[in-house]
């Protein structure tokens, strides 16, 4: 996993933003698991999301942004309807340009195939999520999709470095670019051609590219053939939820937002109002997010221990109902913590 390794420290300050809905369950459950590693953490709690918006009229308080910037990493749960003003905004403020979304089949989980192990790298700062929308005349709405050479070069370099790193760990060493260059001729035409330009610096890494619609099908038919998949913001958002569905669902999908200065870690899922407060949310996505955070901090041994403990818990079906078990969110996390 190519995550910018920070210098190993004696103590890490982590900004914890639980947010809304199941964020308030899966994040504290994961904090218990992180505490069990013995790594010295100071957890600094900060607010964001629908609830703080209802109270104060601001979804992402200035104080939260400052805390996030002062800490070694941010662990985020989920926002509800304010997600665009909270998490999409925070990713931009912290300039975490790479959204890393591993798609991995764990034993004991009902996956499409048992040898799925790839990573989606999603451009995180522009594309359709730039948020440039307008009503140009009555009843006619536009959204501007922004693709810049600078952001393309950065995200492709990140993807290739990750593939290099994964190759060292025995993976294939391949980057797949996915786009819609046949229709979005100018913007995705550039996206595709810059991909092959950057690829020239990595002759040891294999490359290919697919249109996003076909890619979506391949992610279902032959997910085991992918190693690193790189794409733009909206395509990555859609592709990664579908991909999560091939390895057990959103409860299994972690993510890391990485920039040159900051790391922001969050499960792929949202606040899940349909199950919030019932104690049945699957904490796996957030625990795996914690594993990504540990690797980012350079605490690889602790990361391995958490992942191994989680694997054991999954194999033994000591899980929440979505995975066929009978445990609550906190009970499942406790089973992991015990084994760390
Ligand atoms: P969602 O990801 O919250 O839920 C989709 C489905 O997956 C639901 O059926 C839910 O019960 C299930 N699910 C999600 N996480 C789960 C877990 N850990 N364990 C078991 N089942 C799980 O997406 P949805 O329903 O489209 O959106 C709900 C709210 O979340 C909306 O207000 C949306 O704006 C927000 N949202 C926030 C995100 C963020 O903060 N990063 C991302 C996506 C949505
Ligand atoms: Mg999404």
């Amino acid at each position: 996993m190519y995550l910018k390794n920070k210098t190993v420290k004696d103590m890490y300050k982590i900004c914890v933003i639980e947010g809304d809905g199941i964020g308030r369950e899966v994040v504290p459950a994961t904090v218990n698991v992180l505490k069990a590693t013995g790594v010295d953490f100071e957890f600094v709690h900060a607010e964001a999301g629908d609830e703080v918006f209802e109270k104060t009229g601001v979804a992402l308080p200035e104080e939260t942004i400052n805390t996030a910037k002062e800490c070694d990493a941010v662990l985020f749960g989920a926002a509800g309807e304010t997600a665009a003003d909270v998490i999409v905004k925070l990713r931009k403020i912290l300039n975490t340009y790479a959204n890393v979304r591993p798609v991995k089949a764990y034993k004991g989980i009902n996956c499409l195939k048992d040898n799925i192990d790839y990573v989606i790298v999603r451009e995180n700062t522009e594309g359709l999520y730039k948020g440039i929308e307008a009503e140009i005349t009555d009843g006619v709405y536009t959204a501007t999709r922004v693709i810049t050479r600078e952001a393309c070069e950065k995200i492709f370099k990140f993807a290739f470095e990750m593939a290099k790193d994964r190759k060292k760990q025995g993976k294939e060493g391949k980057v797949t670019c996915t786009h819609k260059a046949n229709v979005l001729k100018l913007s995705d035409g550039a996206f595709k051609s810059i991909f092959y330009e950057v690829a020239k610096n990595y002759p040891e890494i294999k490359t290919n590219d697919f249109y996003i619609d076909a890619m979506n099908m391949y992610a279902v038919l032959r997910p085991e053939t992918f190693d690193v998949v790189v794409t733009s913001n909206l395509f990555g958002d859609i592709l990664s939820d579908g991909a999560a569905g091939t390895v057990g669902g959103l409860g299994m999908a972690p993510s890391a937002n990485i920039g040159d200065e900051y790391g922001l870690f969050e499960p792929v899922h949202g606040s899940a109002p349909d199950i919030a407060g019932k104690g049945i949310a699957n904490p796996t996505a957030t625990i795996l997010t914690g594993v990504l955070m540990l690797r980012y901090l350079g605490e690889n041994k602790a990361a391995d221990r958490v992942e191994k403990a989680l694997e054991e818990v999954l194999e033994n079906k000591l899980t929440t109902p979505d995975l066929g078990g009978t445990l609550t969110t906190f009970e499942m996390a406790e089973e992991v913590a015990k084994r760390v």
Side-chain angles (χ1 to χ4, degrees):
M1 173 70 56
Y2 174 72
L3 293 173
K4 190 183 164 217
N5 275 355
K6 293 245 164 170
T7 325
V8 177
K9 286 192 189 173
D10 291 338
M11 195 274 287
Y12 303 97
K13 263 172 87 171
I14 307 298
C15 173
V16 177
I17 306 171
E18 294 177 3
D20 299 311
I22 62 168
R24 297 190 171 274
E25 301 163 47
V26 292
V27 170
T30 298
V31 165
N32 289 348
V33 173
L34 290 170
K35 282 180 181 164
T37 61
V39 175
D40 200 359
F41 288 114
E42 184 195 336
F43 296 101
V44 187
H45 290 265
E47 285 188 314
D50 295 6
E51 275 189 38
V52 60
F53 179 75
E54 276 153 32
K55 270 191 287 178
T56 67
V58 184
L60 181 64
E62 206 59 39
E63 201 186 329
T64 298
I65 298 170
N66 292 336
T67 305
K69 286 183 173 172
E70 282 163 14
C71 287
D72 294 297
V74 183
L75 182 63
F76 180 87
E81 289 305 298
T82 55
D85 296 323
V86 174
I87 189 66
V88 178
K89 197 170 161 192
L90 197 56
R91 290 171 188 152
K92 281 183 200 152
I93 290 171
L94 300 179
N95 195 18
T96 53
Y97 57 86
N99 189 326
V100 175
R101 297 185 158 190
V103 186
K104 188 170 168 184
Y106 285 95
K107 282 201 190 104
I109 303 300
N110 188 14
C111 299
L112 212 53
K113 293 189 177 180
D114 57 16
N115 52 352
I116 303 173
D117 182 3
Y118 66 100
V119 181
I120 296 171
V121 175
R122 160 187 173 191
E123 203 292 320
N124 221 8
T125 63
E126 55 181 32
L128 256 179
Y129 286 8
K130 195 79 184 171
I132 307 172
E133 293 192 301
E135 182 176 4
I136 46 171
T137 56
D138 198 26
V140 181
Y141 306 92
T142 60
T144 304
R145 186 169 181 273
V146 179
I147 299 289
T148 65
R149 168 171 282 276
E150 190 190 349
C152 288
E153 285 176 353
K154 263 181 141 165
I155 200 67
F156 294 141
K157 183 163 178 270
F158 187 95
F160 278 101
E161 290 294 335
M162 176 180 278
K164 245 171 84 174
D165 215 61
R166 283 171 60 89
K167 198 177 175 187
K168 280 187 208 140
Q169 293 158 32
K171 303 288 183 329
E172 191 183 359
K174 181 171 79 183
V175 183
T176 302
C177 176
T178 180
H179 54 78
K180 193 71 185 173
N182 53 343
V183 176
L184 301 167
K185 290 195 172 77
L186 204 56
S187 58
D188 264 9
F191 192 80
K192 179 180 164 182
S193 69
I194 296 167
F195 170 73
Y196 284 110
E197 268 175 42
V198 174
K200 286 187 191 140
N201 300 322
Y202 298 89
E204 72 278 31
I205 302 298
K206 294 180 204 166
T207 53
N208 58 2
D209 72 278
F210 297 117
Y211 296 125
I212 183 64
D213 40 358
M215 173 68 212
N216 215 23
M217 177 187 68
Y218 297 141
V220 174
L221 285 184
R222 45 182 176 90
E224 73 283 6
T225 63
F226 296 106
D227 185 358
V228 175
V229 176
V230 67
T231 189
S232 53
N233 209 337
L234 173 70
F235 293 163
D237 193 6
I238 298 171
L239 185 65
S240 56
D241 272 33
T246 67
V247 293
L250 282 174
M252 297 297 298
S255 84
N257 301 278
I258 307 291
D260 293 329
E261 260 184 286
Y262 302 107
L264 164 63
F265 299 82
E266 47 157 343
V268 171
H269 63 71
S271 61
D274 54 339
I275 58 165
K278 294 184 180 160
I280 55 168
N282 183 353
T284 305
T286 313
I287 294 171
L288 287 171
T289 297
V291 170
L292 294 174
M293 187 179 82
L294 286 166
R295 296 203 191 286
Y296 170 80
L297 296 171
E299 295 289 340
N300 284 307
K301 283 196 183 122
D304 289 342
R305 275 161 52 218
V306 173
E307 195 171 9
K308 206 164 157 279
L310 178 65
E311 280 172 357
E312 224 177 280
V313 165
L314 294 174
E315 273 198 74
N316 289 310
K317 292 253 179 259
L318 298 166
T319 67
T320 45
D322 59 309
L323 299 178
T326 56
L327 300 189
T328 66
T329 308
F330 280 93
E331 285 167 349
M332 182 178 173
E334 191 45 43
E335 290 297 333
V336 179
K338 268 198 314 216
R339 289 167 172 79
V340 171

